[in-house]
Amino acid sequence: MSAFPPPALAPEALPQLIDALVEQGWYLGTEVLDGDLCAELHSELQTLADHDVLEAAGIGRGRELQLRRDIRGDAIHWLDRKSLAQRRYLNAMEDVQQALNQALFLGLFEYEAHFAHYPTGAFYRKHLDSFRGRANRVVSTVGYLNPDWPSDGGGEMVIYAPDNPACEVARVRPAAGTFVCFLADSVPHEVLPTRLPRASIAGWFRRNASLGGLVDPAH
């Protein structure tokens, strides 16, 4: 038996991911994330929720940050590499970043990510991930952690066409192992109301950007 864990991200997913980003601006893969890793991350997020460590997620950044529960109802905790599971996930995202830079010359220099916990009834209205005037978030990712998600559990992420925000092109069931990647500034998406607690990791590959001569910091 090997002493090394399996890859956090299925290697065959990378070329499919790159091709999908080029062709349509978004990628959806099931059973892409290692199942044991998803279970470890899910347990870690549940512990954070049980100890009331999560923070209510806001809209905007810096001085423009607002808490709008009518728009967004999740709670978050930024990944900090303090656990082995987090390090495995973030190392896999470094591999994705390198592949994207080599294939698409995107100039991505950093990745930031947080746990996202949606309590029963929570949702996130349709939006884009790139902030107005700060196009530093270039590619978004979502990794799902919930095991055995039922067909009637709700909480799907709806992806809309980049050239037609009213046209639904995919509906993502938030089941463990599913991984989604899309262009942050051009793919509208939303999270439908969930009927069960929903667990995921949302992340962004960033390009160096500045505003008013100052480098825009991570989160």
Side-chain angles (χ1 to χ4, degrees):
M1 182 175 179
S2 174
F4 297 99
L9 188 78
E12 64 272 15
L14 275 178
Q16 299 169 3
L17 185 157
I18 291 168
D19 288 345
L21 284 182
V22 172
E23 294 170 5
Q24 60 189 18
W26 57 274
Y27 162 81
L28 165 60
T30 58
E31 299 182 355
V32 170
L33 298 174
D34 176 59
D36 289 340
L37 176 60
C38 288
E40 292 171 11
L41 291 167
H42 183 263
S43 177
E44 184 174 342
L45 174 53
Q46 187 60 56
T47 298
L48 292 170
D50 290 345
H51 288 80
D52 200 25
V53 176
L54 303 176
E55 299 180 1
I59 306 298
R61 294 171 72 165
R63 295 179 180 177
E64 298 176 0
L65 182 66
Q66 302 178 57
L67 291 180
R68 291 287 305 274
R69 309 314 277 176
D70 58 322
I71 296 176
R72 178 179 186 180
D74 58 319
I76 67 172
H77 182 81
W78 291 95
L79 270 60
D80 52 19
R81 288 188 172 271
K82 288 185 177 179
S83 70
L84 177 60
Q86 286 191 34
R87 291 193 293 272
R88 283 188 64 200
Y89 188 88
L90 292 172
N91 288 344
M93 293 304 104
E94 289 179 1
D95 293 339
V96 176
Q97 177 178 319
Q98 182 177 7
L100 289 173
N101 281 338
Q102 289 179 346
L104 305 180
F105 307 101
L106 294 180
L108 306 174
F109 83 108
E110 185 180 30
Y111 180 75
E112 59 181 1
H114 62 62
F115 285 117
H117 179 268
Y118 285 75
T120 300
F123 54 85
Y124 195 161
R125 300 296 187 196
K126 187 189 298 185
H127 63 284
L128 293 170
D129 281 353
S130 185
F131 293 94
R132 183 179 299 176
R134 293 187 179 183
N136 60 330
R137 286 180 170 177
V138 180
V139 178
S140 302
T141 68
V142 184
Y144 294 96
L145 308 178
N146 283 97
D148 304 317
W149 191 264
S151 58
D152 62 350
E156 298 94 341
M157 182 171 72
V158 182
I159 300 174
Y160 296 90
D163 57 353
N164 184 1
C167 178
E168 178 181 328
V169 294
R171 188 167 290 207
V172 184
R173 184 166 160 261
T178 297
F179 186 72
V180 179
C181 190
F182 53 91
L183 299 179
D185 64 351
S186 59
V187 177
H189 55 286
E190 69 174 320
V191 176
L192 300 180
T194 183
R195 299 185 181 93
L196 298 168
R198 176 188 186 274
S200 62
I201 294 177
W204 300 269
F205 293 105
R206 290 161 39 92
R207 181 184 293 141
N208 195 2
S210 63
L211 185 66
L214 299 175
V215 174
D216 186 26
H219 53 270

